[in-house]
Amino acid sequence: MSNTTHESQTFSAESYFETQPQPPSLVADTEGVHEFIQRQQQANRSVVLVTSGGTTVPLELNVVRFLDNFSAGTRGATSAEYFLKAGYAVIFLHRQFSLQPFSRHYSHSTNPFLNFLEIDAALPSSSTIDSAFPYSNDPPPTTPTPQITVTTAERAKLFSVLRAYKAVHALGTLHMVSFVTVNEYLWLLRAVSREMSVLGRKAMYYLAAAVSDFFLPQQRLSEHKIQSGKGNLSIEMDQVPKILKPLVSEWNPEGFIVSFKLETDEMILIPKAQQALERYGHQVVIGNDLHHRKHRVVLISPVAADATKKLDGALVSQPKYAEFWIEIDSHQPSNHPKEIEEDIIEELLKRHNVWIEGS
Ligand code: 9Z3
């Protein structure tokens, strides 16, 4: 990369995969997904691919700087739990270190689990700060065996989270795959989508990851850390190919596909969501605006093409797209907050059932 302009290129999905490097772990990740899907197929389960978290765009080959997309992974991790609760098998394609189902309840930044643990009062406490540290030279006390308990206030919540977590692990219905860069995300999305095509209509895609619209092709990346001292830095990026297009038309035309549209200007949310449906022809776009995303979303879906109705004997054409708003109170009790994802998933499950029956 340099400060000079370049011939900007428009990448189709095809040319993208022909020119951009395949991640080294792709083959192993795909094998893991393949086996998972086979097991779920034998158990006659529907499978949902939940994508979650933001993608990065490295600015250097030996990456020191990168562009990131906003997303903590809350939407994806929370939604995955409600899909699991409904009996779906979940492939959780997420940004490394973003929130995950179950452990999200004890995020290190908002709710660290160590705060809910207590050491048995009968044990001698450390006499000095130094001896309290695990890497102290003193051997840890072996008798009596240290007893650690969960604070009474947290016990009920932890119990329900832990019980669900263990149940899902025993059933084997959650499969984790991670990405960091937008390139890894795109390769994985293609590979997982193709694997899921054997499920036909029982495959759902819930694309909540925040995916960069722009990227720097590998061929234009500076090998080493970009040096300062040459004045301003101008970076000209290429557009990430519109990946929903081949997903809908080639990788799994039978799948039930839900994408997300994120905007910061609420006025353009619905037109943008409709535009996406118009372009790609999938089933649902969930529109959310950044500041209200935890309390209000809108599901936009196409209305059947022949949806005309008779009004006073005259044929009146219906709108092409239907809006379905989901809203919850923005003031939720902190001990048991209602999560909007519960209602989103409930609505999607109904629609997915209709989709499956429609086959
Ligand atoms: C979303 O809109 C998600 O709901 C959020 C969730 C990223 C807002 P958090 O993880 O946030 O709970 O903190 N995801 C899709 C965003 C996106 O990149 N959409 C693209 C677009 O809007 C289309 S795929 O153009």
Side-chain angles (χ1 to χ4, degrees):
M1 193 180 49
S2 74
N3 288 11
T4 56
T5 50
H6 76 288
E7 282 290 304
S8 87
Q9 209 179 331
T10 308
F11 283 88
S12 62
E14 208 175 20
S15 63
Y16 182 92
F17 291 113
E18 272 163 13
T19 56
Q20 300 310 301
Q22 173 176 318
S25 60
L26 187 77
V27 173
D29 283 339
T30 311
E31 271 168 20
V33 167
H34 181 83
E35 281 161 25
F36 179 76
I37 291 172
Q38 270 189 331
R39 267 188 282 121
Q40 306 312 325
Q41 232 187 340
Q42 278 157 15
N44 200 26
R45 287 193 191 97
S46 293
V47 179
V48 59
L49 169 69
V50 175
T51 71
S52 183
T55 59
T56 70
V57 177
L59 303 187
E60 296 127 343
L61 273 176
N62 290 289
V63 51
V64 176
R65 281 75 159 247
F66 55 85
L67 191 82
D68 207 348
N69 253 69
F70 159 87
S71 169
T74 318
R75 176 81 83 221
T78 311
S79 304
E81 281 182 27
Y82 287 105
F83 278 119
L84 290 163
K85 187 176 177 212
Y88 275 57
V90 174
I91 299 170
F92 191 64
L93 178 58
H94 65 287
R95 163 77 174 274
Q96 187 186 40
F97 308 133
S98 65
L99 291 179
Q100 296 189 8
F102 308 112
S103 65
R104 73 177 173 103
H105 297 275
Y106 298 96
S107 145
H108 65 278
S109 51
T110 53
N111 206 16
F113 75 93
L114 289 176
N115 287 354
F116 304 117
L117 300 181
E118 284 172 334
I119 299 176
D120 185 354
L123 281 174
S125 54
S126 319
S127 50
T128 63
I129 184 71
D130 174 49
S131 65
F133 274 67
Y135 32 86
S136 150
N137 287 334
D138 302 336
T142 48
T143 47
T145 312
Q147 291 291 314
I148 295 170
T149 52
V150 175
T151 54
T152 320
E154 191 55 26
R155 226 167 273 172
K157 163 97 188 279
L158 180 61
F159 175 71
S160 63
V161 172
L162 193 59
R163 195 170 51 169
Y165 171 81
K166 297 271 185 202
V168 163
H169 273 252
L171 266 182
T173 49
L174 176 59
H175 185 74
M176 313 288 271
V177 185
S178 70
F179 61 82
V180 176
T181 65
V182 68
N183 184 53
E184 288 165 356
Y185 171 84
L186 294 173
W187 278 93
L188 281 163
L189 181 66
R190 183 173 79 158
V192 176
S193 301
R194 285 173 166 175
E195 289 296 331
M196 282 175 70
S197 64
V198 296
L199 298 157
R201 293 201 164 216
K202 289 186 96 168
M204 196 204 287
Y205 297 79
Y206 183 85
L207 307 174
V211 183
S212 177
D213 283 326
F214 307 102
F215 80 113
L216 269 166
Q218 160 106 347
Q219 296 72 12
R220 288 203 290 115
L221 278 179
S222 140
E223 185 184 351
H224 293 292
K225 184 180 160 223
I226 300 167
Q227 295 299 311
S228 62
K230 292 182 189 159
N232 295 344
L233 173 67
S234 323
I235 302 170
E236 201 168 334
M237 294 187 159
D238 288 309
Q239 260 204 42
V240 168
K242 301 295 178 198
I243 216 67
L244 267 171
K245 208 177 176 148
L247 171 54
V248 176
S249 59
E250 291 169 42
W251 302 340
N252 189 3
E254 294 269 87
F256 184 80
I257 300 171
V258 181
S259 71
F260 277 77
K261 176 58 67 185
L262 175 66
E263 292 298 342
T264 51
D265 174 0
E266 230 179 337
M267 296 298 288
I268 61 170
L269 190 56
I270 291 178
K272 286 289 210 170
Q274 291 180 348
Q275 197 182 68
L277 286 179
E278 188 90 47
R279 270 192 192 152
Y280 311 121
H282 58 301
Q283 285 66 49
V284 184
V285 176
I286 302 185
N288 52 177
D289 100 89
L290 185 68
H291 303 295
H292 303 105
R293 69 189 190 285
K294 290 185 195 262
H295 312 118
R296 188 164 70 222
V297 299
V298 58
L299 275 61
I300 311 281
S301 46
V303 173
D306 59 353
T308 45
K309 64 175 178 186
K310 268 199 161 169
L311 204 72
D312 295 335
L315 278 181
V316 179
S317 59
Q318 299 268 63
K320 277 175 88 179
Y321 301 104
E323 285 173 30
F324 184 92
W325 287 89
I326 297 178
E327 194 157 1
I328 60 166
D329 195 336
S330 57
H331 301 288
Q332 292 291 329
S334 60
N335 56 346
H336 193 64
K338 161 92 182 169
E339 296 174 311
I340 195 168
E341 288 78 7
E342 184 178 5
D343 293 354
I344 299 176
I345 306 312
E346 190 189 323
E347 178 60 26
L348 290 178
L349 295 182
K350 281 190 223 152
R351 296 185 187 202
H352 190 206
N353 270 335
V354 173
W355 178 255
I356 293 171
E357 279 157 17
S359 61

